[in-house]
Amino acid sequence: MGAFGISVSSGELVSANMTLMGKETTTASTSVLGSAPYDVLSSTATPVLNATTNVGDIYKNGELLATALQSIEINGEAALREQRAVGSRFAAGIGTGRFNLTGTITSYFETLEMYDHFLNHDTISLAFDFKDNDYSVYWFTIPALKITSDPIAPGGIDQDVLEELEFVALRDPGLQTMFMVDRFSSTLPAT
């Protein structure tokens, strides 16, 4: 996967996108997986996720975040590139680069908590979960991030003061990762 993006905004459907890069295109008249021992799974009947009812709690450094958030956006970029070659219709290979994970968090400016993290150049963690209608839970975790920008944006009279934090993720030395998605299936009956 070359790039991906996830957007969670209050009152909206959760949106995600991804960009793929491949070496070549071929056509086939038979199934790549064959017929056995693979079973074709039916599509899920669950509705799409939304930021109102499907997002659980938001955690900072393993503790419940007290500040209300308006949105979270996460963008990953793997810096893939085609390795072109003379006499080849398709790329001879796919070059990989450094993985960058960035994002924005829009929060209400209720306390100095997030602003202090910015001023002190603190490394913090952020985690939140989704629960679908089949009660499966998906945990999204950024174990180490630094806030790179935190402009306090007072809009005007009768408007909320928001922090539009920008962040960059770092590789967590203990977990050896920048971003984790954990899925936990439910044993409860589907709705």
Side-chain angles (χ1 to χ4, degrees), residues 45-61:
T46 59
V48 295
L49 298 175
N50 67 67
T52 305
T53 59
N54 297 114
V55 178
D57 294 321
I58 301 166
Y59 292 86
K60 180 188 65 74
N61 295 336

Side-chain angles (χ1 to χ4, degrees), residues 2-191:
F4 70 91
I6 301 166
S7 178
V8 183
S9 296
S10 60
E12 301 287 333
L13 296 177
V14 174
S15 64
N17 60 60
M18 66 178 62
T19 304
L20 306 173
M21 184 177 287
K23 262 177 67 171
E24 62 184 275
T25 301
T26 59
T27 58
S29 58
T30 60
S31 171
V32 175
L33 297 177
S35 57
Y38 302 102
D39 294 325
V40 176
L41 300 176
S42 58
S43 297
T44 178
T46 59
V48 295
L49 298 175
N50 67 67
T52 305
T53 59
N54 297 114
V55 178
D57 294 321
I58 301 166
Y59 292 86
K60 180 188 65 74
N61 295 336
E63 295 181 6
L64 193 60
L65 182 64
T67 304
L69 301 184
Q70 203 175 61
S71 67
I72 303 170
E73 291 191 22
I74 301 171
N75 297 297
E77 170 62 51
L80 300 182
R81 62 192 176 279
E82 285 185 343
Q83 295 172 328
R84 307 295 294 171
V86 173
S88 177
R89 187 173 18 167
F90 302 109
I94 304 293
T96 58
R98 285 182 275 185
F99 179 72
N100 289 318
L101 187 74
T102 60
T104 58
I105 302 167
T106 303
S107 71
Y108 291 96
F109 188 54
E110 299 170 336
T111 68
L112 291 172
E113 181 179 13
M114 297 302 271
Y115 191 68
D116 284 341
H117 287 308
F118 168 66
L119 291 178
N120 297 325
H121 305 286
D122 293 334
T123 300
I124 62 173
S125 68
L126 184 72
F128 58 94
D129 67 306
F130 294 108
K131 185 186 293 183
D132 65 19
N133 285 7
D134 287 339
Y135 306 108
S136 295
V137 177
Y138 305 83
W139 273 99
F140 288 70
T141 305
I142 303 170
L145 67 85
K146 284 203 182 277
I147 300 169
T148 57
S149 174
D150 188 0
I152 308 300
I157 297 174
D158 298 329
Q159 292 183 351
D160 296 318
V161 179
L162 299 172
E163 285 182 273
E164 298 196 5
L165 307 131
E166 294 179 8
F167 67 84
V168 62
L170 309 170
R171 184 176 176 85
D172 182 76
L175 295 171
Q176 301 282 317
T177 189
M178 294 171 82
F179 183 57
M180 300 181 334
V181 180
D182 296 301
R183 180 182 186 270
F184 300 95
S185 298
S186 174
T187 57
L188 298 172
T191 57

